[in-house]
Amino acid sequence: MPRQRRFARAPSRPLGPGGIAALLTLSASLAGGCYQGLGQDQTAGTPTAPSSGDVTDTGGVDPTGSGGDPTDGTDPTDGGEAEFAPAPARLRLLLARQYTSSIAYLLGDAAAAKVQTPPDSAINGFESIGAAQLALNDQAIDTYEKSARAVAAAADDATLAAYHTCAPTGSDDEACHKEFVANFGRVAWRRSLTQVEIDRYGAVARDAALAFGSWELGREYAVAGLLQSPYFLYQVEVGEPDPDQPGQRVLTGVELATRMSFFLLDTTPTRELIDLGEGDGLVTSDDVRTVAWTMLETPAARAALGGFFAEVLRLRTLETLPKDPGTYPAWTPALGASMRDEVLRLIDDIAFTREADFREYLDAPYTYANGPLAALYGLIPDANALGDVWQKFDLPAEGKRGGLFGMGGFLAAYAHISSTSPTLRGKFVREVMMCQGIPAPPPDVVTELPVGDDYPTMRDRLAEHMTNPSCAPCHQLMDPIGFGLENFDGIGVFRLVENGVDLDTKSNLDSLGEFDGARELGSLLRQSPAVTRCLVRNLFRHATGHLELPGELGALEDLDASFEDNEYRMKELLAELVASPAFLRVGTPE
């Protein structure tokens, strides 16, 4: 049975008055709405703007760069038995896809089509961490203002009318405006508005309606204002103090509903989930698991998990990945998109369709491919045999292909424009799959590889790095892993020779053993505890918007154990993660 913990719940209540600092006037721009309520004391229940801080992008790995001992398969983040202490409370800006999906839920697809957002920025390899640490600049605020105006104008009357039962008696019907503000604001802000906030935005709607002689235009101005508030733009995760645990704050019901929805579904919580949060539906860890399982049965959960892996595995770049057409004539943006879909189809099949041991994605002896991809892999004679139809294929063992490391999406993303890169492929395995940090190269690093008849293969050309004292410590960690994948060229085509020379692809991965090819590498990693622990930590970082702290390691070790107890099924891991105290609690704001 999975290990369970119960936790105390602080009473759920709305945050204190915030919203816009002054009423919007008809002649004034709505710009500045993103500052609404920011800069106030979090401990009083009102959010504070996140600081950009002093951050370094370490690619989603151990920020210390120590990486632990890569030869023993241990997790570099493992610590002692430190007392549980969650990370400090902070706000998190909605990611672009979360903003868009939220607008679609609130105002419909036509409004979502008008969305404008600033680009997401990753810190430590995760956009969610960037969203928690980077402050908005003037250009981003202007973008959100324009977006709020555009989506408010694009929402149709039927969609907006669903947020009020009153029938307006005229442009001066302020009571009806206030009913709309209360109902729409509750769903948009993911918690009930205070009376002060209802009055404030009701006045915005009233002034606009009287000026334009249209009750509906007043409603539109209220929508535009509400969508510029930090209560919409940010996930508010400040919690309530736990009197029994000084320094710990328990997320309120609506804060937890919001955090769960954006993590598991990549969108704003539904009205029903807000009801649960404001009631007693998310009081215990068992409640949270029950609600999580309901969420995990929806199509949005499958898409959200795919979004996580698309980010972590760098699949989003495949359609625009530059490749030399002379070296790789088969490469096209459409092929890159197919490679992305191949990985996501495999992940979806294992995690949701079959609910199997998720480690299978490392060495699966089958894949999903359409015509062009199956032809590239040599599974069918030509692309016309299937066209755009997707089919499941068993992979022949002699082709050494299997699991993630034999997929074109990984092999192309971690290669150069006109060649392979054992270094990049090995670095990915160390950092992303095992959470082992690779130190930055020295300032005088040699970047040019030798050329000529004496160096016919990439393995030959990298031999200098493997022996040069300034290069060897890092390259010995990365290159041997990549050498075992040299049967696959820079877009994933299988090959036996390079420049007329037979390839030597036998290699080893520390004390885990020898391997030859993608499937054998995946099988080694499948047995490594460091890999499953790293997956748990990467999901946690994505879910909470921060790197794990020493005081959270015990809770993460419980998740590791639960993952193993549940035979490494992904849905169980996701349900246990949101029920973990490291997800349910935050620390005192800094």
Side-chain angles (χ1 to χ4, degrees):
M1 291 292 292
R3 302 168 186 188
Q4 300 181 4
R5 290 185 177 181
R6 300 182 69 82
F7 62 95
R9 159 69 62 213
S12 175
R13 64 168 178 78
L15 294 172
I20 55 178
L23 294 179
L24 302 174
T25 63
L26 300 180
S27 60
S29 167
L30 291 178
C34 297
Y35 293 117
Q36 300 158 17
L38 297 179
Q40 300 180 47
D41 180 10
Q42 275 184 320
T43 61
T46 307
T48 300
S51 169
S52 60
D54 181 13
V55 296
T56 302
D57 189 344
T58 62
V61 302
D62 175 17
T64 66
S66 64
D69 180 359
T71 64
D72 63 8
T74 60
D75 184 347
T77 61
D78 279 349
E81 296 296 325
E83 183 178 352
F84 174 67
R90 64 171 65 241
L91 302 184
R92 261 193 291 170
L93 189 69
L94 299 189
L95 302 177
R97 63 183 182 273
Q98 295 171 341
Y99 180 105
T100 302
S101 64
S102 298
I103 294 297
Y105 178 73
L106 293 167
L107 298 173
D109 292 338
K114 300 294 184 180
V115 160
Q116 304 174 56
T117 61
D120 296 323
S121 298
I123 291 178
N124 298 119
F126 290 91
E127 291 169 349
S128 63
I129 296 180
Q133 296 203 28
L134 298 176
L136 293 177
N137 57 29
D138 290 344
Q139 183 177 359
I141 292 169
D142 185 60
T143 299
Y144 281 127
E145 176 198 347
K146 292 177 180 176
S147 184
R149 287 179 174 273
V151 301
D156 60 68
D157 286 341
T159 300
L160 293 172
Y163 291 100
H164 60 86
T165 58
C166 58
T169 59
S171 57
D172 61 348
D173 192 341
E174 185 176 3
C176 197
H177 275 136
K178 288 183 178 181
E179 182 192 358
F180 170 80
V181 165
N183 293 336
F184 177 78
R186 178 176 183 267
V187 185
W189 285 9
R190 304 174 285 276
R191 52 91 170 167
S192 293
L193 277 62
T194 66
Q195 189 60 51
V196 170
E197 291 164 341
I198 294 171
D199 292 345
R200 186 173 293 164
Y201 282 93
V204 170
R206 175 202 63 207
D207 291 348
L210 290 174
F212 291 113
S214 167
W215 187 91
E216 288 74 18
L217 271 177
R219 180 180 60 186
E220 179 182 320
Y221 268 70
V223 170
L226 288 162
L227 294 181
Q228 289 181 81
S229 167
Y231 294 111
F232 172 71
L233 292 173
Y234 288 88
Q235 293 187 58
V236 177
E237 300 171 329
V238 298
E240 295 283 358
D242 182 349
D244 298 325
Q245 298 288 338
Q248 294 187 28
R249 302 170 71 90
V250 183
L251 294 181
T252 66
V254 288
E255 290 173 341
L256 179 55
T258 296
R259 180 178 267 204
M260 289 177 67
S261 186
F262 280 120
F263 169 49
L264 295 177
L265 306 180
D266 249 346
T267 193
T268 194
T270 62
R271 295 168 178 81
E272 294 76 16
L273 189 54
I274 295 171
D275 290 342
L276 286 175
E278 290 192 326
D280 58 2
L282 294 172
V283 173
T284 70
S285 55
D286 288 337
D287 293 336
V288 172
R289 287 187 188 89
T290 299
V291 173
W293 274 104
T294 300
M295 298 168 78
L296 289 169
E297 296 302 320
T298 66
R302 304 173 88 132
L305 185 66
F308 163 76
F309 280 102
E311 177 180 3
V312 170
L313 303 180
R314 198 185 165 194
L315 302 179
R316 298 177 187 168
T317 66
L318 288 171
E319 288 176 85
T320 57
L321 199 64
K323 293 292 179 181
D324 176 31
T327 307
Y328 306 117
W331 181 260
T332 64
L335 183 63
S338 296
M339 289 178 174
R340 176 197 64 224
D341 292 346
E342 175 193 16
V343 179
L344 297 182
R345 284 172 184 266
L346 178 68
I347 287 171
D348 184 83
D349 176 60
I350 297 170
F352 289 97
T353 302
R354 293 191 293 114
E355 298 187 28
D357 183 332
F358 191 74
R359 298 176 302 169
E360 188 176 310
Y361 91 110
L362 297 170
D363 63 350
Y366 69 94
T367 193
Y368 292 90
N370 60 6
L373 200 54
L376 189 81
Y377 292 168
L379 302 175
I380 57 175
D382 62 80
N384 293 327
L386 274 182
D388 291 331
V389 177
W390 286 82
Q391 180 178 313
K392 184 177 181 178
F393 289 91
D394 291 328
L395 297 170
E398 61 270 19
K400 304 183 183 180
R401 196 184 300 276
L404 173 67
F405 306 109
M407 292 183 164
F410 163 73
L411 295 164
Y414 295 93
H416 295 308
I417 291 177
S418 58
S419 70
T420 63
S421 177
T423 303
L424 288 178
R425 291 171 178 176
K427 186 174 186 286
F428 169 87
V429 171
R430 291 287 187 196
E431 292 188 335
V432 179
M433 304 303 297
M434 305 181 80
C435 290
Q436 295 175 353
I438 301 293
D444 58 347
V445 65
V446 177
T447 58
E448 296 296 327
L449 296 180
V451 296
D453 294 340
D454 293 335
Y455 308 96
T457 70
M458 182 62 77
R459 189 167 191 160
D460 295 325
R461 294 190 287 278
L462 282 169
E464 169 68 16
H465 288 289
M466 294 286 287
T467 57
N468 187 316
S470 66
C471 303
C474 292
H475 279 270
Q476 288 173 353
L477 293 175
M478 300 179 290
D479 294 358
I481 299 174
F483 291 154
L485 300 173
E486 278 294 277
N487 277 134
F488 303 99
D489 73 8
I491 62 171
V493 174
F494 185 76
R495 61 185 185 170
L496 293 173
V497 299
E498 182 182 2
N499 294 323
V501 175
D502 291 341
L503 285 166
D504 174 13
T505 56
K506 293 181 179 179
S507 193
N508 64 81
L509 179 57
D510 307 327
S511 61
L512 295 175
E514 296 181 349
F515 73 96
D516 184 359
R519 191 180 305 187
E520 291 187 8
L521 172 61
S523 294
L524 287 183
L525 291 171
R526 180 171 179 162
Q527 302 307 315
S528 169
V531 173
T532 51
R533 287 197 292 260
C534 185
L535 173 61
V536 171
R537 279 141 187 76
N538 281 334
L539 276 166
F540 177 77
R541 295 162 182 175
H542 169 69
T544 61
H546 70 269
L547 294 176
E548 61 277 9
L549 298 181
E552 296 170 313
L553 294 182
L556 293 182
E557 289 166 2
D558 285 347
L559 285 175
D560 297 334
S562 175
F563 195 26
E564 181 180 0
D565 291 344
N566 285 300
E567 299 178 331
Y568 300 103
R569 289 189 292 268
M570 176 57 70
K571 289 171 72 175
E572 273 82 353
L573 172 58
L574 295 172
E576 290 302 311
L577 196 159
V578 299
S580 166
F583 187 89
L584 301 167
R585 290 172 174 261
V586 295
T588 302
E590 292 178 341

